[in-house]
Amino acid sequence: LKLQFLYLIAISLFFYPPTLTMTSVYVGNLSWSLTSESLKAAAEKAGPVVKAEVVVYQGRSAGYGIAEFGSEADASAAIEKLNGSDLSGRRIHARADKEGGATSVYIGNLPWTTTSDELKEAAGAKSAEVKMLDGRSAGYGLVEYASADAAAKAIKELNNTDLEGRPMFVREDREEGDRQRAPKGAKGGRGGGRGGGRGGRGGRGQ
């Protein structure tokens, strides 16, 4: 009977696999001045919100937030309504929150001279790539780890540690559109240090 029971469970899982409930929505490209209360108010126009929070790093907005809805249907409806809409003068993007299980990590506030090989060695990663803009370092890179656990450990251990005189800003790689949007506090005044043509980039990589 036990074997028959296990067999029935296996058959049920094969034909009716369990689905993960998605109720968290990632909202990116937020205005730097947007508060969690304002994000919640905007999200509530799309449906009932359990909570909403703008992610903050060193006292400043990281440029994205998470809105939690009461059901998967509400979250899906919110994504459809919010994605591409205008909020405080910015065209925001919304999608299912993918945090957890990622093996790709964003590292910002890199020294302009850091190479991909040097970033790989500093991060202890499987691979690494410093992103380029107009033939020069964009000041950030993406590193890949062998597992999600290794990536999570790296984020915890590397964030705000020093690399050639700069405190690195380390987080999960969540969205292409936000990869250059590490908060000003994490950039350490990148643009000002370069002067000239790069000064206009300021501290936020925009």
Side-chain angles (χ1 to χ4, degrees), residues 107 110 114-123 128-130 141 143:
I107 301 182
L110 296 176
T114 299
T115 66
S116 294
D117 287 340
E118 289 171 339
L119 178 59
K120 177 183 176 182
E121 181 178 354
E129 181 184 4
V130 172
V143 298

Side-chain angles (χ1 to χ4, degrees), residues 16 99 102 133 135:
Y16 305 101
E99 185 174 11
L133 182 66

